[in-house]
């Protein structure tokens, strides 16, 4: 991924979202010495949601963003709003975290609706469609995955439904899958439009947002937190580190323990040319978001212009974008033969923060200081209610009332080497995907 060096102007990826989304608000850099009640480092979904909920409670808050709101993962992802984690199910979460894990499960259950409700409350136009999220299974034996998830999420009141092979075929317009399940609260958005809309809402409530100001360090000084940038510093009574997969990308010294407990993995996204109405009506006719059970994930959703927004993974040298176009073209034509010729107008990438067990990491960094990482590809829905919880923590809510399973940072051994080797996991996923369970 390119563009990590932030100058007076920010270079955006050649993404669909950057091409179609109105510009965000003009924002100042952090220069000189400033103060706030709460400092939020990171202007993605988590940081913006935290600031939004703090301002709703009347708390003075300032965001310090390395580039511009939505420049990182929040504006580069596929935009699927999925109210689950990628692999752990409710029983896994509760087995790990107990009572707070159960509260976290309830947060996840409602996370998609929380996002759509916030967008409606603030009049944010982000091409949002709460059409549901479907997870089809790619081999007969993996129907057990759908059955388990429907059973567990039903226990916690989620609106999930098991789907037969015929139902999936009718829903998605393809015979490629063997059943699955869906959750009616999910859907999809233009993620960059959501980030910029949240930024405008935060500013409208009186918060400050400093852009093009990478935080290089923070420290505890005279019972206050002090965040330093190249041109200034800001002090506050509380601190929220909302940098996720980009925690170590602008400053290796900022939060090394957090940066080294997550593996930033490039996720490639791509958008087709707009499909004709006749073809579109035969492919995911209900416009649901879709991501299946492959480790090398098959996923797709429509944007507002009837582009199919999908993506894939690629390893090795060479022109990765062109290789990916060929690979994903073959995939789309195999899944949906009626699609015909496929052309891609946009191909881009960004980091996904992966953890070894696919669970997020949420931490106390010191007195009234918090941080998290490890979205594992599920940050869009998760981060909005997570920001609300972090805002409550900053305001003094007891742990017993929070849906935040706190842990201590545990860095991955030989992180630098493992980061270089991480793309090779794609070979493992492909082998597993080919096997029945």
């Amino acid at each position: 991924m390119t563009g990590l060096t932030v100058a007076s102007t920010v270079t955006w990826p050649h993404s669909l979202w950057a091409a179609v989304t109105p510009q965000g608000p003009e924002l100042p850099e952090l220069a000189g010495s400033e103060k706030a009640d709460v400092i939020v480092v990171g202007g993605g979904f988590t940081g913006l949601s935290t600031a939004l909920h703090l301002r709703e409670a009347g708390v003075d808050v300032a965001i310090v963003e390395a580039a511009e709101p939505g420049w990182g993962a929040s504006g580069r992802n596929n935009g699927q709003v999925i109210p689950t984690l990628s692999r752990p199910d409710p029983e896994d979460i509760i087995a790990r975290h107990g009572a707070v894990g159960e509260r976290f499960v309830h947060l996840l259950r409602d996370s998609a609706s929380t996002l759509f409700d916030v967008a409606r409350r603030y009049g944010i136009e982000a091409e949002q469609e709460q059409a549901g999220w479907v997870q089809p299974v790619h081999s007969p034996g993996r129907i057990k995955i759908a059955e388990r998830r429907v059973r567990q999420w039903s226990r916690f009141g989620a609106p999930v439904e098991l789907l037969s092979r015929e139902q999936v075929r009718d829903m998605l317009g393809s015979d490629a899958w063997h059943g699955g399940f869906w959750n009616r609260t999910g859907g999809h958005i233009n993620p960059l439009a959501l980030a910029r809309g949240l930024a405008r809402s935060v500013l409208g409530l009186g918060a400050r947002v400093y852009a093009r100001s990478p935080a290089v360090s923070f420290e505890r000084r005279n019972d206050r937190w002090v965040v330093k940038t190249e041109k200034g510093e800001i002090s506050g009574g509380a601190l929220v580190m909302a940098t996720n997969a980009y925690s170590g990308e602008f400053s290796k010294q900022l939060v090394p323990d957090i940066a080294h407990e997550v593996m930033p993995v490039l996720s490639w996204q791509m958008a087709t040319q707009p499909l004709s109405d006749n073809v579109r009506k035969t492919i995911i006719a209900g416009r649901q978001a879709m991501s299946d059970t492959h480790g090398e994930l098959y996923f797709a959703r429509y944007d507002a212009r009837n582009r199919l927004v999908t993506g894939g993974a690629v390893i090795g040298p060479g022109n990765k974008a062109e290789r990916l176009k060929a690979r994903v073209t073959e995939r789309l034509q195999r899944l949906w033969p009626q699609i015909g010729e496929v052309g891609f107008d946009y191909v881009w990438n960004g980091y996904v923060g992966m953890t070894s067990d696919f669970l997020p990491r949420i931490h106390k960094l010191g007195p009234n200081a918090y941080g998290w990482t490890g979205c594992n590809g599920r940050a869009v829905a998760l981060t909005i209610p997570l920001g609300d919880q972090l805002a409550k923590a900053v305001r003094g809510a007891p742990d017993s009332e929070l849906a935040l399973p706190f842990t201590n940072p545990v860095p991955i051994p030989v992180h630098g080497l493992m980061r270089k080797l991480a793309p090779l996991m794609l070979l493992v996923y492909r082998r597993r995907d080919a096997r029945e369970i």
Side-chain angles (χ1 to χ4, degrees):
M1 191 190 70
T2 60
L4 284 176
T5 300
V6 176
S8 58
T9 58
V10 172
T11 300
W12 291 85
H14 181 64
S15 73
L16 168 65
W17 312 129
V20 303
T21 305
Q23 290 295 315
E26 292 188 13
L27 301 168
E29 297 180 30
L30 177 60
S33 181
E34 299 288 345
K35 291 183 179 180
D37 289 341
V38 181
I39 308 165
V40 176
V41 179
F45 291 149
T46 304
L48 292 164
S49 176
T50 302
L52 185 77
H53 288 95
L54 285 170
R55 284 306 302 148
E56 287 180 341
V59 178
D60 176 43
V61 58
I63 295 174
V64 180
E65 160 58 32
E68 297 277 355
W71 181 88
S74 293
R76 296 172 184 252
N77 64 78
N78 193 261
Q80 297 204 23
V81 183
I82 302 174
T84 70
L85 296 183
S86 57
R87 298 209 184 172
D89 294 320
E91 291 177 6
D92 303 313
I93 298 168
I94 294 169
R96 174 68 65 88
H97 296 295
V100 65
E102 186 165 348
R103 295 194 293 275
F104 187 70
V105 166
H106 283 93
L107 179 148
L108 282 169
R109 178 199 63 195
D110 299 335
S111 60
S113 290
T114 298
L115 181 152
F116 289 113
D117 287 346
V118 166
R120 281 191 289 267
R121 187 162 77 245
Y122 285 94
I124 297 173
E125 297 294 333
E127 304 177 15
Q128 56 265 42
E129 296 185 50
Q130 196 170 11
W133 167 69
V134 58
Q135 183 175 50
V137 299
H138 74 276
S139 69
R142 285 171 173 78
I143 196 67
K144 297 175 184 176
I145 296 174
E147 292 171 345
R148 181 182 73 242
R149 289 177 173 167
V150 167
R151 181 179 69 252
Q152 291 192 29
W153 281 108
S154 294
R155 175 187 163 200
F156 289 94
V160 292
E161 180 182 339
L162 190 68
L163 301 172
S164 67
R165 180 168 191 167
E166 291 73 25
Q167 287 174 306
V168 168
R169 180 194 62 211
D170 292 344
M171 182 178 287
L172 301 182
S174 173
D175 286 317
W177 293 284
H178 299 266
F181 84 104
W182 78 310
N183 185 312
R184 296 174 184 271
T185 67
H188 48 87
I189 58 162
N190 172 335
L192 183 56
L194 178 64
R196 288 176 174 172
L198 287 170
R200 291 189 184 92
S201 299
V202 164
L203 292 168
L205 291 176
R208 289 167 283 160
V209 181
Y210 298 104
R212 304 172 303 285
S213 303
V216 296
S217 66
F218 70 98
E219 63 180 347
R220 187 78 171 161
R221 185 195 304 166
N222 299 326
D223 295 326
R224 289 177 68 81
W225 292 103
V226 179
V227 174
K228 294 184 178 181
T229 68
E230 290 185 357
K231 297 181 180 180
E233 67 176 36
I234 184 168
S235 69
L239 172 69
V240 175
M241 193 66 59
T243 46
N244 193 18
Y246 289 76
S247 295
E249 299 309 304
F250 292 94
S251 171
K252 303 296 184 185
Q253 291 75 42
L254 183 62
V255 278
D257 285 351
I258 291 179
H260 289 168
E261 69 175 347
V262 66
M263 196 60 60
V265 177
L266 276 185
S267 174
W268 288 84
Q269 310 295 326
M270 48 213 306
T272 69
Q273 296 171 350
L275 302 188
S276 69
D277 286 342
N278 288 339
V279 173
R280 194 211 62 76
K281 291 176 182 178
T282 70
I283 298 173
I284 320 180
R287 299 181 65 86
Q288 296 89 353
M290 182 279 290
S291 53
D292 77 356
T293 52
H294 280 91
E296 184 186 0
L297 199 61
Y298 292 14
F299 57 96
R301 42 71 56 103
Y302 285 107
D303 81 331
R305 291 147 293 277
N306 291 336
R307 296 180 187 273
L308 202 60
V309 190
T310 182
V314 62
I315 58 176
N319 189 324
K320 293 184 178 182
E322 291 303 316
R323 290 166 53 207
L324 196 63
K325 286 181 183 180
R327 185 174 184 86
V328 176
T329 293
E330 183 278 328
R331 176 186 299 169
L332 293 179
Q333 291 174 335
R334 174 163 42 88
L335 296 175
W336 293 289
Q338 67 270 36
I339 199 170
E341 294 296 319
V342 177
F344 292 99
D345 287 339
Y346 302 94
V347 180
W348 69 98
N349 61 46
Y351 286 131
V352 174
M354 304 298 294
T355 60
S356 58
D357 56 7
F358 301 91
L359 285 167
R361 306 288 194 263
I362 305 172
H363 307 305
K364 294 181 179 180
L365 305 180
N368 216 12
Y370 304 90
W372 91 285
T373 191
C375 61
N376 292 286
R378 289 291 191 269
V380 177
L382 170 62
T383 48
I384 305 304
L386 186 62
D388 179 34
Q389 290 294 301
L390 290 168
K392 289 177 179 176
V394 162
R395 294 172 58 212
D399 290 358
S400 60
E401 295 179 4
L402 296 172
L404 297 176
F406 293 116
T407 60
N408 294 320
V410 180
I412 298 171
V414 291
H415 183 270
L417 175 61
M418 296 304 296
R419 183 169 179 175
K420 292 179 181 179
L421 296 176
L424 297 178
M425 280 299 297
L426 181 60
L427 300 176
V428 177
Y429 291 148
R430 287 175 180 172
R431 183 172 182 178
R432 290 175 180 170
D433 289 343
R435 297 168 58 190
E436 188 52 276
I437 61 172

